[in-house]
Amino acid sequence: MTKKTFLVSDMYCVNCAMRIESLEDSLPGVKNVSASYKKGQMTVEYDATRLTESQIVAAVKALGYTALLL
Amino acid sequence: MEQLVLAFITGLTTGGLSCLAVQGGLLAGSLARQIEQDLLAAPAGPHKGQAVKAPRPNTALPIALFLLAKLVVYTLLGALLGLLGSVLTLDPIMRAALMILIGVFMVGNALRMFNVHPIFRHFVIEPPSFITRYIRRTARRETDFFTPLFLGALTVLIPCGVTQAMMATALATGSPAGGAALMFAFTLGASPVFFLVAYLATELGARLEKYFLRFVAVVVLILGLVTVESGLNLLGSPVSFANLTARLRPAVEAAPIAAPAATRITPAATPLIPPTATTGVPKALPTPAAIPPAVAVPPAGPANTMPVLELRVLGNGYSPRVLRAPANRAISLDLVTNKTYSCARDFVIPALKYHQLLPDTGRVTVAIPPQKPGAIVRFTCSMGMYTGQIIFE
């Protein structure tokens, strides 16, 4: 499993973090997503053989947010 | 009662929208999807797709159950917070400090919503990931009557910013019944918007939150400033807006300088209360408890020189709001109520540590010790909403 942290600075409420965390239910290869509105970050634990960073960034973008790898 | 109406209106305006931003997108959306799935599964005539979009009587029930559970849980939470507040036995000074804290919290939240600076993100309480994960997964389960009830109850774990501020206000009531009533009124007020969003069964919540967040921020900012103002009034602070502006309106609201007891300034119909023979102090009515030891009147010279001021305690505040009294002499302040049921009855003089719940109809006399020329003794209701002052000159 690979664990990476992304900067998501355009979250504007706690619900945004919850929405981003829902990726762990919808994005194949993701084991765990932990997003923090206070920190403006999300940490993703995923299977690198099934998923790439750019796919994660694209999935976050589809939700209306911008993710940058830290 | 006024506080409950205010809580209801806050719920109806900002609370509903704020809850929408935090809980609506996830919970109402999940609930709506479940309802939609139910409708798709049910025999709905030849045009199944059209039937889904049409309003159905059975969609209202799960949403109503969701809101009912939310209402019950938040009411219980209010009772618990009120109980906690009663254990803490908040005196007016502590209540004032709490109100200022609540106000600062609300202003910070508003600035967070305006995205002024990331530091203001610390003004929101972020639920732990395991709680949000649990809620999210529960929301995806098959629909039954239990699920919306359970989801509604779980919203207590993810209160929005306005709800958190209201929770703090429930704590400040210092009574389980008061806290429960406050949270009930607020949650009830917040329910219509929530119901509407869930009933529409779309992603309206996610769209609306972007449009309404600014509006919510403005209202929360105003409420926060009003709360800070109330706290400052309750502290008797000269820098509150009400106290800063009080002296700008003396021509309208000032009472004449108090005269000796023999010519007391009261309406003609008010009977004169003669001073007692032993102390020269007018009788305290209706009970001696109205005058605590902290404001006991020192000997004040000849019996007929005790000035008496009359303050009418009304449903919408105090009249007059500015009184004038002679300096260096003890004065007697008569508080007159006449079918007064507002919080103005809960009378506080912060500087004298005087706090008394007045009878709804009657007269209570407060003895005020001699003050230096230019001194201002401020008074307020226990909520810091209604204010006034006595200027000594």
Side-chain angles (χ1 to χ4, degrees), chain B residues 152-292:
Chain B
L154 285 183
T155 58
V156 78
L157 300 174
I158 48 170
C160 67
V162 180
T163 306
Q164 287 171 21
M166 198 55 66
M167 286 160 60
T169 310
L171 181 73
T173 62
S175 125
L182 191 84
M183 291 307 294
F184 177 83
F186 171 75
T187 313
L188 190 68
S191 296
V193 172
F194 218 115
F195 184 91
L196 191 67
V197 172
Y199 192 77
L200 288 174
T202 65
E203 291 184 358
L204 203 58
R207 292 178 191 169
L208 276 180
E209 65 185 67
K210 291 185 178 178
Y211 290 105
F212 282 117
L213 207 60
R214 291 281 166 123
F215 170 72
V216 173
V218 169
V219 178
V220 171
L221 182 65
I222 292 169
L223 285 174
L225 291 173
V226 167
T227 308
V228 171
E229 160 78 4
S230 298
L232 290 172
N233 284 333
L234 196 50
L235 274 181
S237 168
V239 296
S240 76
F241 180 77
N243 290 331
L244 283 173
T245 57
R247 295 188 74 173
L248 299 177
R249 295 169 286 179
V252 178
E253 303 188 65
I257 290 176
T263 54
R264 61 186 285 145
I265 306 159
T266 57
T270 307
L272 185 69
I273 304 172
T276 58
T278 52
T279 64
V281 178
K283 287 179 182 175
L285 296 177
T287 63
I291 305 176

Side-chain angles (χ1 to χ4, degrees), chain B residues 2-12 166 181-182 185-187 189:
Chain B
E2 286 172 6
Q3 199 179 16
L4 295 184
V5 172
L6 192 65
F8 180 81
I9 293 171
T10 305
L12 195 63
M166 198 55 66
L182 191 84
F186 171 75
T187 313

Side-chain angles (χ1 to χ4, degrees), chain A residues 12 24-25 32 37-38, chain B residues 121 126 133 136 140:
Chain A
Y12 51 87
E24 71 183 33
D25 301 325
N32 183 47
Y37 164 64
K38 280 184 185 174
Chain B
R121 292 183 175 189
E126 201 169 41
R133 186 174 294 119
R136 197 174 64 244
R140 289 202 334 247

Side-chain angles (χ1 to χ4, degrees), chain B:
Chain B
M1 190 62 196
E2 286 172 6
Q3 199 179 16
L4 295 184
V5 172
L6 192 65
F8 180 81
I9 293 171
T10 305
L12 195 63
T13 52
T14 60
L17 296 173
S18 186
C19 284
L20 183 76
V22 175
Q23 304 163 349
L26 178 70
L27 298 182
S30 302
L31 196 64
R33 279 198 295 277
Q34 291 169 14
I35 293 164
E36 195 171 336
Q37 283 168 5
D38 272 5
L39 288 171
L40 281 166
H47 303 292
K48 218 173 179 179
Q50 289 176 2
V52 171
K53 290 177 183 173
R56 293 302 191 84
N58 62 339
T59 58
L61 184 60
I63 302 168
L65 289 172
F66 174 88
L67 291 173
L68 180 69
K70 190 179 166 194
L71 189 64
V72 169
V73 170
Y74 274 97
T75 303
L76 290 174
L77 178 67
L80 279 174
L81 289 168
L83 182 67
L84 184 64
S86 68
V87 171
L88 295 173
T89 56
L90 300 174
D91 62 20
I93 302 299
M94 286 172 68
R95 192 183 298 181
L98 188 60
M99 286 174 83
I100 291 170
L101 274 176
I102 292 166
V104 169
F105 178 75
M106 291 176 82
V107 170
N109 244 315
L111 295 175
R112 173 187 66 80
M113 290 182 214
F114 281 125
N115 209 13
V116 172
H117 190 278
I119 198 169
F120 291 108
R121 292 183 175 189
H122 292 282
F123 281 91
V124 73
I125 299 170
E126 201 169 41
S129 285
F130 73 90
I131 288 179
T132 55
R133 186 174 294 119
Y134 178 69
I135 293 172
R136 197 174 64 244
R137 289 182 177 167
T138 304
R140 289 202 334 247
R141 286 180 194 161
E142 291 299 315
T143 304
D144 53 29
F145 287 146
F146 175 75
T147 304
L149 279 172
F150 189 55
L151 284 175
L154 285 183
T155 58
V156 78
L157 300 174
I158 48 170
C160 67
V162 180
T163 306
Q164 287 171 21
M166 198 55 66
M167 286 160 60
T169 310
L171 181 73
T173 62
S175 125
L182 191 84
M183 291 307 294
F184 177 83
F186 171 75
T187 313
L188 190 68
S191 296
V193 172
F194 218 115
F195 184 91
L196 191 67
V197 172
Y199 192 77
L200 288 174
T202 65
E203 291 184 358
L204 203 58
R207 292 178 191 169
L208 276 180
E209 65 185 67
K210 291 185 178 178
Y211 290 105
F212 282 117
L213 207 60
R214 291 281 166 123
F215 170 72
V216 173
V218 169
V219 178
V220 171
L221 182 65
I222 292 169
L223 285 174
L225 291 173
V226 167
T227 308
V228 171
E229 160 78 4
S230 298
L232 290 172
N233 284 333
L234 196 50
L235 274 181
S237 168
V239 296
S240 76
F241 180 77
N243 290 331
L244 283 173
T245 57
R247 295 188 74 173
L248 299 177
R249 295 169 286 179
V252 178
E253 303 188 65
I257 290 176
T263 54
R264 61 186 285 145
I265 306 159
T266 57
T270 307
L272 185 69
I273 304 172
T276 58
T278 52
T279 64
V281 178
K283 287 179 182 175
L285 296 177
T287 63
I291 305 176
V295 293
V297 176
N304 65 349
T305 59
M306 170 69 80
V308 178
L309 296 179
E310 184 176 286
L311 181 69
R312 290 184 296 282
V313 180
L314 309 172
N316 59 351
Y318 304 105
S319 179
R321 285 183 62 190
V322 179
L323 301 121
R324 294 178 188 278
N328 299 321
R329 290 165 66 185
I331 65 161
S332 187
L333 178 66
D334 277 11
L335 307 169
V336 181
T337 48
N338 184 14
K339 295 178 182 173
T340 308
Y341 302 103
S342 71
C343 68
R345 274 175 64 203
D346 208 4
F347 190 79
V348 179
I349 305 178
L352 302 180
K353 293 185 170 56
Y354 178 86
H355 179 207
Q356 180 76 29
L357 180 63
L358 308 173
D360 52 44
T361 300
R363 179 184 292 270
V364 172
T365 301
V366 185
I368 297 179
Q371 304 290 321
K372 291 177 181 174
I376 297 175
V377 172
R378 296 181 177 84
F379 52 85
T380 176
C381 70
S382 64
M383 293 300 296
M385 288 168 59
Y386 303 125
T387 60
Q389 55 186 231
I390 307 169
I391 301 170
F392 290 84
E393 48 192 21

Side-chain angles (χ1 to χ4, degrees), chain A residues 2-8 20-21 24 30 32-36 39 41-46, chain B residues 133:
Chain A
T2 304
K3 192 174 185 178
K4 293 206 169 164
T5 300
F6 297 80
L7 179 72
V8 187
I20 288 171
E21 285 180 348
E24 71 183 33
V30 169
N32 183 47
V33 180
S34 178
S36 169
K39 293 177 184 170
Q41 292 179 356
M42 72 162 184
T43 302
V44 185
E45 200 176 346
Y46 64 100
Chain B
R133 186 174 294 119

